[in-house]
Amino acid sequence: MSGNNGAGLVRPSVQALKPYVPGEQPQGAGWIKLNTNENWFVSPSVLSAVLAAATHDLRRYPDPVCTDLRVKLSARYGIDSQQIICGNGSDELLTMLIRAIAGEGDRIAFTDPSYSLYETLSHIQNAAPVPVPLGDGWQLPVQELVAVNAPLTFITTPHAPSGTAYRLSDLEAIAAGCAGVVVFDEAYVDFGGDTAIPLLDRYPNVVVLRTMSKAFGLAGMRLGYAFGSRELIGALYRIKDSYNVDLLTQVAGCAALDAWDEYARVNHETAVRRDRVAAELHRRFGWRVWPSATNFILVEVDDADASEIVTRLKTEQILVRYFPRPRLEQSMRISVGSDAEMDLLLAALDKVVG
């Protein structure tokens, strides 16, 4: 047997890579999970559709281009089905966009802080990530992003992890000013804020990215979709995996779109609950809670130790998210769950903070 320990078999850039760290997924029952922005609701009609589809047909490969799902998406959003591609979560679509557009050494711009996967995927591609700082109030640095002159720019809108909504006029200024592709990552737009979809007809360099993990409660199914010009979407089809969205996920996506009105009602209720909890946190503890157009809130705990509060909440079987990075060290991000979950959170904070 060779004494080779595997050294040199992996690209040095991958060996040095800092991987994306997802939110904790607890084991066992009894947890209140407010750390990964999952929806607290899934429509019973979606569950019924998935159960009905779990037949002998699972032995067959799924539709490789998600035809039925794209037809429904086209009807819902008014976008030609040829300008739509579906993926195994929006994360897969991010990977495809980088593979299709950014070559080795090419700049990839994004706001800082933002979704940390952008930077990880950039390094995997041997591209050059360029984080552009947000303003003091999380304002979008329009001119600074344009000035990077990157082949690929990612904008999370509404922003994560702050929850800030951005004006369509600012999004358009970025689309108009950038010669490269601009991706508007709209994971949370169903809870508030402007969508960049109106820009698609005017700017062939724009891609709008959506997910069913947040507004549709399908994080466990992994389903994302992207809108763009035929040229850009066609490029993604050329590099995508063969059968990247499984049969049950396609069924769940179609059923979720059929339950659009039900989800819209629930997501409105979530937004109302978000604002109620934000106001209550400020009243009880004097903390700053940033205005949010998402299904989460970013809470600055001032002189308290945010990391310690998160740890103490965990002893109460409540998970919220802490980011040990500049500008976020004194903050915690809290997903908005059900009324009962949020009331238990407030009670637990009364106990652990005092």
Side-chain angles (χ1 to χ4, degrees), residues 107-125:
R107 286 166 293 188
I108 297 177
F110 46 86
T111 59
D112 182 36
S114 187
Y115 187 24
S116 60
L117 186 63
Y118 300 150
E119 184 167 3
T120 300
L121 294 176
S122 300
H123 285 303
I124 292 172
Q125 186 73 356

Side-chain angles (χ1 to χ4, degrees), residues 298-310:
L298 184 69
V299 183
E300 287 188 9
V301 298
D302 302 322
D303 295 331
D305 186 333
S307 176
E308 179 63 21
I309 294 172
V310 171

Side-chain angles (χ1 to χ4, degrees), residues 68-123:
D68 291 343
L69 180 55
R70 287 190 301 114
V71 167
K72 285 186 177 291
L73 288 167
S74 175
R76 168 54 59 182
Y77 293 100
I79 296 171
D80 190 322
S81 64
Q82 298 302 309
Q83 295 178 254
I84 304 171
I85 187 170
C86 299
N88 181 26
S90 57
D91 287 351
E92 185 195 25
L93 295 167
L94 291 173
T95 300
M96 285 195 276
L97 285 159
I98 290 177
R99 288 166 59 191
I101 295 161
E104 185 170 349
D106 282 345
R107 286 166 293 188
I108 297 177
F110 46 86
T111 59
D112 182 36
S114 187
Y115 187 24
S116 60
L117 186 63
Y118 300 150
E119 184 167 3
T120 300
L121 294 176
S122 300
H123 285 303

Side-chain angles (χ1 to χ4, degrees), residues 330-341:
Q330 287 304 106
S331 300
M332 53 186 177
R333 192 194 68 190
I334 303 172
S335 307
V336 180
S338 66
D339 272 322
E341 288 174 329

Side-chain angles (χ1 to χ4, degrees), residues 206-334:
V206 164
V207 173
V208 175
L209 196 60
R210 294 287 185 94
T211 177
M212 286 200 168
S213 295
K214 313 301 183 185
F216 293 96
L218 294 181
M221 300 298 291
R222 311 305 301 129
L223 178 58
Y225 47 100
F227 308 128
S229 67
R230 289 192 176 212
E231 179 184 3
L232 287 175
I233 296 302
L236 301 184
Y237 273 110
R238 285 195 288 274
I239 64 171
K240 84 172 190 69
D241 292 340
S242 302
Y243 303 99
N244 60 324
V245 181
D246 69 67
L247 186 152
L248 296 182
T249 298
Q250 292 185 43
V251 168
C254 289
L257 290 169
D258 288 340
W260 180 276
D261 291 342
E262 184 179 19
Y263 278 110
R265 174 184 56 79
V266 169
N267 292 333
H268 174 73
E269 293 171 359
T270 297
V272 171
R273 187 178 307 117
R274 171 198 68 208
D275 295 342
R276 173 181 71 83
V277 172
E280 192 64 18
L281 288 172
H282 179 72
R283 186 188 70 81
R284 294 190 188 193
F285 307 105
W287 293 337
R288 181 175 190 173
V289 184
W290 289 95
S292 175
T294 67
N295 68 336
F296 62 83
I297 49 178
L298 184 69
V299 183
E300 287 188 9
V301 298
D302 302 322
D303 295 331
D305 186 333
S307 176
E308 179 63 21
I309 294 172
V310 171
T311 299
R312 290 179 182 177
L313 284 173
K314 189 173 179 180
T315 66
E316 302 294 321
Q317 284 198 294
I318 298 176
L319 295 179
V320 301
R321 194 76 183 269
Y322 176 70
F323 297 98
R325 55 182 297 177
R327 297 189 64 178
L328 297 172
E329 303 99 325
Q330 287 304 106
S331 300
M332 53 186 177
R333 192 194 68 190
I334 303 172

